[in-house]
Amino acid sequence: MVTLLWILSLAALGLTFWAQFRVKGTFRKWAQEPASSGLTGAEVARRILDSNGLYDVAVEPVPGELTDHYDPIHRVVRLSEPVYYDSSIAAISVAAHECGHAIQHKEAYGALVLRHRMFPVVNFASSVAPFLLMGGIFLHMLNLFALGVVFFSAAVAFQLVTLPVEFNASSRAKQIMVREGFIRNLEERGVSKVLNAAALTYVASALYALLELFRFVAMLVVSQNDD
């Protein structure tokens, strides 16, 4: 059982790397396709936020590639420089997605609220869990390992809650882009490609974490049976 879960975990890890490679490739492909609106990612973000009454949410550029995110604490949509300054299909898709999170925040979208409340606990649990798991293994302390499994399960739960948040933000983004005329019919395919590739990374990460949790639980059960 443990061996099978090892194999599945390695397969899921491979899927995670492939998903990251795909999202970068997809972004770069559609970054070469200019949007018919001619709007940059920053301009699209500003228009979406303003049309939803989020005048106090700033839009700022940040260094790096695919470093885009919404900061709910400071209420800022931060866009990577290739997204902020560019007017490609990829750029406006990512910008609209991040604005989707800002709208979720405004509307107190259930899954997002839950994720925000979980974050402090999960941040601590995910940093401690590896030490508890390794300590339990090397010190042969079953109770310590079991505590590590509990902490790790919190991190897995956080990743699972993240999935509906990301899918909902992408759905909102596409609907808004069509409604506001930021894209035309032929451009919807590119938007879907970009958003789906990004979503795949979250699915792959959640699957890997879930399989790792199953592996740890199986190890715990086997150890208890041996005792």
Side-chain angles (χ1 to χ4, degrees), residues 124-139 144-145 148:
F124 172 75
S126 59
S127 62
V128 172
F131 298 101
L132 295 174
L133 292 168
M134 289 187 293
I137 292 173
F138 290 117
L139 299 176
L144 189 63
F145 185 82

Side-chain angles (χ1 to χ4, degrees), residues 13-29 65-66 197-198 200-201 204-205:
L13 181 61
L15 176 62
T16 300
F17 286 124
W18 176 79
Q20 293 173 348
F21 175 79
R22 181 182 174 188
V23 71
K24 289 181 179 180
T26 302
F27 179 86
R28 288 169 183 166
K29 174 184 177 180
E65 184 182 49
L66 300 178
L200 181 61
T201 62
S205 295

Side-chain angles (χ1 to χ4, degrees), residues 129-209:
F131 298 101
L132 295 174
L133 292 168
M134 289 187 293
I137 292 173
F138 290 117
L139 299 176
H140 302 288
M141 296 176 63
L142 197 58
N143 289 339
L144 189 63
F145 185 82
L147 184 60
V149 172
V150 172
F151 276 52
F152 185 76
S153 65
V156 174
F158 184 80
Q159 293 218 36
L160 294 177
V161 170
T162 294
L163 293 180
V165 174
E166 295 300 327
F167 283 121
N168 180 264
S170 290
S171 177
R172 289 172 185 262
K174 189 171 180 180
Q175 290 175 12
I176 291 171
M177 293 171 75
V178 172
R179 185 176 67 243
E180 298 295 330
F182 297 147
I183 56 173
R184 297 177 179 174
N185 292 337
L186 295 177
E187 295 173 321
E188 289 185 35
R189 175 175 172 270
V191 172
S192 295
K193 289 281 187 182
V194 173
L195 296 178
N196 289 343
L200 181 61
T201 62
Y202 291 99
V203 173
S205 295
L207 177 61
Y208 173 67

